[in-house]
Amino acid sequence: EGRKIVCRQLCNEIINYKMILRRAVNLSPADIDQSMKELRKSCPHYADIEACPNPMPDIEEKLVNTRGYVDKVMIGSYLHNKGKLESGEPVTNDANDGNHTDDEFTDDGYQLR
């Protein structure tokens, strides 16, 4: 019963974890399968759902108000890591320019490469 409560409270984190697994370029399909098996063992009900009873909280306003985050996060990350990037160019969110189909982007609007 305690594990069910913890899993329910972590539902949004589980959804994000699965999204990270699907996007990971450094994991093999076997690694992803193993991670999903472990998740199903720990939280069987939440391992196979794609939406939680409680929506993910929107913390954008909190980040802007308390830390001043807007577009500074991406450019700050770029400046910090530019020597490690393949292209050397910052990543931009081009999802709203109207020149792309939906399947070219992830659910957060960043282009798949």
Side-chain angles (χ1 to χ4, degrees):
E1 185 63 31
R3 183 181 298 256
K4 288 181 183 180
I5 293 169
V6 169
C7 292
R8 183 175 60 240
Q9 294 301 317
L10 292 175
C11 181
N12 285 309
E13 286 75 9
I14 292 169
I15 298 292
N16 284 325
Y17 174 70
K18 293 187 303 182
M19 184 172 45
I20 290 167
L21 285 176
R22 288 192 300 263
R23 293 179 180 182
V25 294
N26 62 336
L27 295 177
S28 70
D31 292 334
I32 295 169
D33 288 342
Q34 180 62 35
S35 295
M36 288 303 298
K37 284 178 187 175
E38 292 170 9
L39 181 58
R40 284 186 186 102
K41 184 177 178 185
S42 298
C43 294
H45 174 72
Y46 295 95
D48 294 312
I49 64 171
E50 294 301 322
C52 296
N54 298 317
M56 179 68 81
D58 182 3
I59 64 168
E60 181 179 357
E61 184 177 334
K62 179 180 179 181
L63 291 174
V64 170
N65 290 340
T66 61
R67 298 185 182 178
Y69 289 174
V70 184
D71 291 331
K72 295 178 185 177
V73 174
M74 288 301 294
I75 195 66
S77 177
Y78 160 70
L79 291 173
H80 179 74
N81 295 298
K82 69 180 178 181
K84 301 175 195 171
L85 296 175
E86 289 181 22
S87 70
E89 298 296 322
V91 176
T92 58
N93 182 340
D94 297 326
N96 298 323
D97 68 5
N99 296 324
H100 301 282
T101 61
D102 288 342
D103 59 346
E104 292 181 83
F105 292 91
T106 63
D107 53 352
D108 59 6
Y110 287 93
Q111 196 167 14
L112 296 171
R113 299 178 196 249

